[in-house]
Amino acid sequence: MNGGDSKDDEEEREQVMSEVHLGCPPGICGPHISRFTICLPSGVESSRFNGLFKEEESCTDQEISFDEDGDLILPRRRQISRRCFTMKIQHNITSPIPSVGLQVWNAELILSDFVLHKMCTSMEFHGIVSLELGAGTGLAGMLLAHAAKTVFLTDHGDQILENCLKNVQLNSGVLNHQKVVYVRELDWTHPWPPKVSSDLATQERFSWSSSELEEVQKASLLLAADVIYSDDLTDVLFGILERIMSQGSEKVLYLALEKRYNFSLDDLDVVANGYLNFRSYLKDDSECEGLELGSLPCFMGKCIDVAEIPQYVGGYDRGDDVELWEIRYSKGKL
């Protein structure tokens, strides 16, 4: 057995858990269905989605207070009206590292907040074609489907793809847009666009049809969440991004990530795996223009202030290590 095989076996044995799942029932090994409540934040109005956000009332306790004599004033419950809906997401509570797409992660929730805010406050995502890379449970892409024309949720491995498809089916009644959501296999190490099987009898469940490939080539929006956690994966990601974004019309990628710090024997320091490599691929506008007067291709990245994005998805803590990036690709003049 070589060193690579040993590393793969270790990753298969090691179980990891997203902090989003801390409230889930203990001792569950298989799939679990969680309900995520999506609410319009205060001050945000979106009449275009009245059919999605429903009025509901919830009770909240007022703070305990005392009168001037020091006697306790019994609080009364207040009724608060909110406009909400619920998404059902099937996920694993733990998984080996190669199957982390079976879990819900903070970066996926912040990307969902961003998508919802864009949908509710602008027409930017209305009627577009979108491609999500490493879609995992599919939450962000399914939310986008309420505004987009077509959404392709892509990932790698039958187990993750089956789980993603199950989530599309679980939420088809909420979004009523199941027909525009496709769950498809996308191996980042393979050429783009993917091959089409001409033999219908051998065509796999998550393979691409020629009409779907024609449609996905029109994609103007790319999404990705929590796909930065190793240098090797980051290299492969930017390889497929270059192949996709260098073809056809201009595209923008919104990528959410969470920096996870671990002690590195190579660096003898605590580092965020994959993050420095991720940043090494990105230039700002002025740097791209300076590369032989813009003649060389490059990725242009801008970090978005997540504090300016209201929280739509309830029940999670964003923390301080989640970032959201807007990334574009300059093809250069050569």
Side-chain angles (χ1 to χ4, degrees), residues 59-211:
C59 294
T60 183
D61 290 331
Q62 292 180 334
E63 294 183 1
I64 295 176
S65 59
F66 300 87
D67 63 18
E68 58 186 10
D69 297 324
D71 296 324
L72 175 67
I73 300 176
L74 294 176
R76 295 182 177 180
R77 288 191 171 185
R78 295 179 298 177
Q79 295 287 336
I80 297 181
S81 179
R82 305 183 303 172
R83 296 179 61 195
C84 304
F85 66 96
T86 300
M87 296 285 290
K88 298 177 184 178
I89 298 297
Q90 176 175 282
H91 60 88
N92 279 22
I93 296 176
T94 64
S95 69
I97 293 176
S99 301
V100 290
L102 294 172
Q103 298 191 55
V104 181
W105 301 89
N106 272 342
E108 182 178 6
L109 300 181
I110 194 77
L111 182 62
S112 297
D113 281 338
F114 174 77
V115 166
L116 285 162
H117 196 53
K118 281 282 191 181
M119 286 167 48
C120 290
T121 59
S122 76
M123 296 291 290
E124 186 175 336
F125 292 166
H126 182 74
I128 64 168
V129 177
S130 175
L131 170 66
E132 184 170 4
L133 301 164
T137 62
L139 177 59
M142 287 189 294
L143 292 169
L144 175 64
H146 206 80
K149 174 189 175 186
T150 312
V151 174
F152 292 94
L153 305 177
T154 68
D155 216 308
H156 184 54
D158 286 346
Q159 190 179 11
I160 295 174
L161 293 167
E162 290 283 359
N163 188 71
C164 186
L165 179 60
K166 176 66 175 180
N167 285 327
V168 173
Q169 295 166 347
L170 283 173
N171 294 283
S172 60
V174 177
L175 297 176
N176 197 29
H177 278 279
Q178 186 178 4
K179 64 179 182 299
V180 303
V181 180
Y182 297 92
V183 178
R184 293 293 176 262
E185 174 101 21
L186 183 59
D187 188 330
W188 297 352
T189 64
H190 288 183
W192 175 266
K195 292 183 178 179
V196 177
S197 175
S198 57
D199 186 355
L200 295 178
T202 62
Q203 196 172 62
E204 297 179 3
R205 188 176 189 187
F206 300 108
S207 59
W208 297 76
S209 69
S210 57
S211 61

Side-chain angles (χ1 to χ4, degrees), residues 7 11 97 227-236 272-275 277-278:
K7 181 180 179 182
E11 288 185 344
I97 293 176
V227 293
I228 304 296
Y229 48 86
S230 76
D231 287 346
D232 292 342
L233 183 66
T234 302
D235 291 337
V236 176
N273 293 336
Y275 183 72
N277 193 27
F278 163 74

Side-chain angles (χ1 to χ4, degrees), residues 239-259:
I240 187 67
L241 285 176
E242 184 170 23
R243 294 194 292 276
I244 294 173
M245 300 180 80
S246 63
Q247 298 182 25
S249 59
E250 183 178 354
K251 301 170 179 63
V252 59
L253 164 69
Y254 291 105
L255 183 149
L257 62 89
E258 183 173 5
K259 292 183 286 185

